[in-house]
Amino acid sequence: TRYAAHNFIPYPTRTYDINAIADYYDAFFIAGGALLDDAVYDSAKDKINLVTAIIDLGLRFIEFDKHCIFYGLSTPSEIQNVDYISRLNRITNNCKHFSVRDTNSLNTLKKAKVSIDNVKVVNDLVFANKTFSAIHKNTKNVKKEDEVGLIYVLNEDTLPLLTTFTKKLLKYYDDSIKLKIIPFYDYQNNDVV
């Protein structure tokens, strides 16, 4: 009830939630971070962790023939889980864009026998402010209802950096684009505070 005044996307906790999200939204875009990791992946668990949610969401969006974009992610030095590798292969072969942020991650995928035919190496999204600007300037027919969701790990330590980053984003977008902060990190009430 403490979130009653806020409009947010609830974190998926079961398969039904994955389907509902994929059915409702037009595209799935996941960017930046060490999120391609089989160490905690478990498709059979009742509680869905972030790594599992990303893979399951990607597959559902592909199944629903919707845009699925994995941008600038990274891997650990090794991926071994056979089920994870199989699902990741389906994503790399069928999503609209798949990229990693370093050649080490590309080599990890290759070593795990994940298809890298459609995998690109790109700069880390953290350094991409100029890219955001170029993308926005080249975007045709931007609709007024377009929104950009921001998922911040927001606390006292990160607030100054995220405030600066958000101000930079606001300079790149005109008033027709809405920025929405999506609650994500309520560990020790971070989002509430």
Side-chain angles (χ1 to χ4, degrees), residues 87-95 98 109 114-115 118-119:
R87 290 170 185 243
L88 193 55
N89 257 316
R90 285 180 27 218
I91 291 171
T92 61
N93 287 324
N94 295 290
C95 69
F98 193 103
L109 294 176
V114 172
S115 173
N118 300 321
V119 178

Side-chain angles (χ1 to χ4, degrees), residues 49-164:
N49 62 45
L50 181 59
V51 168
T52 304
I54 289 167
I55 294 299
D56 289 353
L57 282 166
L59 288 172
R60 291 317 288 156
F61 274 80
I62 289 168
E63 285 291 321
F64 290 178
D65 200 28
K66 294 185 176 185
H67 290 284
C68 176
I69 299 167
F70 281 57
Y71 183 90
L73 303 179
S74 66
T75 69
S77 59
E78 195 172 58
I79 295 176
Q80 296 179 326
N81 182 307
V82 176
D83 183 38
Y84 183 84
I85 291 168
S86 171
R87 290 170 185 243
L88 193 55
N89 257 316
R90 285 180 27 218
I91 291 171
T92 61
N93 287 324
N94 295 290
C95 69
K96 301 294 181 201
H97 174 91
F98 193 103
S99 59
V100 291
R101 63 184 178 182
D102 57 73
T103 54
N104 291 335
S105 296
L106 184 67
N107 290 331
T108 296
L109 294 176
K110 187 176 181 180
K111 190 168 64 175
K113 297 196 174 23
V114 172
S115 173
I116 59 167
D117 294 342
N118 300 321
V119 178
K120 296 174 177 58
V121 177
V122 296
N123 290 330
D124 192 316
L125 195 57
V126 171
F127 305 114
N129 286 341
K130 290 178 184 175
T131 303
F132 276 136
S133 178
I135 289 170
H136 180 64
K137 286 177 184 171
N138 293 327
T139 301
K140 305 265 191 249
N141 303 322
V142 175
K143 297 175 187 164
K144 288 189 177 182
E145 66 270 13
D146 284 347
E147 298 174 348
V148 175
L150 304 171
I151 301 174
Y152 289 160
V153 176
L154 192 58
N155 57 41
E156 279 185 18
D157 296 332
T158 62
L159 184 60
L161 286 171
L162 294 175
T163 301
T164 301

